[in-house]
Amino acid sequence: MSIEQWNTTITPTWCPGCGNHSLWNELKRALDELKIPAHKILIVYGIGCSGNMYNFVKTYGWHSLHGRAVPTAVGAKLANKDLTVIVVGGDGDGLGEGMGHFIHALRGNANITYLLHNNKIYGLTTGQSSPTSEKGFISRSTPAGQIEIPVKPLKLALAAGGGFVARGYAGKPNDLKELIKKGIQHRGFSFIDILQPCVTFNKVNTYEFYNSRVYDLAANGYEPTDYNQAMLKADEWGDKIPLGLFYHDSREPYEDDLPQEQGQAIVARPVVKRNLTKLVKEFM
Ligand code: SF4
């Protein structure tokens, strides 16, 4: 296949220069290189500019409710464990409305890949402060500056038990593609926080901002096996911003401990007809 074959007939509507274009391309390239058939992939999308990707990738897709992409994906994976299940969503959707789901999916080690399009702003609703906006950030919802400190997605993921915790950047497409491939191949919850400049509404966290700060962990001899070291690196944000795989372990995924997940995928089993009349009567 080629990456064009993952396109639909709809042309992306994102602003010219938006980081979402890079994420879209690298996700398609990763799927292409992994040679996973399109009918074996489900991508669940959150609400936001990133969620518009629902229209632009030719796999199974589900455009979920705001903040509910992760639990929808977890349910789909449990119903059909033969699917490769990916979540695409933004920082507002995932760490605002969906924060609780994110933490519990990490604790359970649900066997899905989560691509967090982190532009540090609500873009689709035209520029409000999000959970990852920096303290002091001026936006339409915070004209006097953001009061709260930002959520640090990688520290949160590590604290909640994440076994594949990584950061990519839309401005480093090849590295991003490789991270996405590794995330999909990981058994368990793989979380990739992706720095995705919103060129229209976030005039602070721009390509220039990131280009002068990002560096690659692996190229600096970092090994993603030490939890405490990963926590320290996840806290690093300022003149230097690390990219790559922060932490990796092989804790068994959620489905391995569920008796009903053993054997055939649930959707592949024969339907057993049961008379539910007695059960229904109990609730009447
Ligand atoms: Fe991208 Fe921002 Fe435009 Fe949304 S508003 S498409 S995030 S540049």
Side-chain angles (χ1 to χ4, degrees), residues 13-21 48-50 52 119 121-124 126-127 196-202:
T13 48
W14 296 309
C15 308
C18 172
N20 278 321
H21 292 281
C49 289
S50 56
N52 288 347
N119 54 19
I121 199 163
Y122 281 92
L124 190 67
T126 69
Q196 175 249 306
C198 168
V199 295
T200 302
F201 294 112
N202 188 334

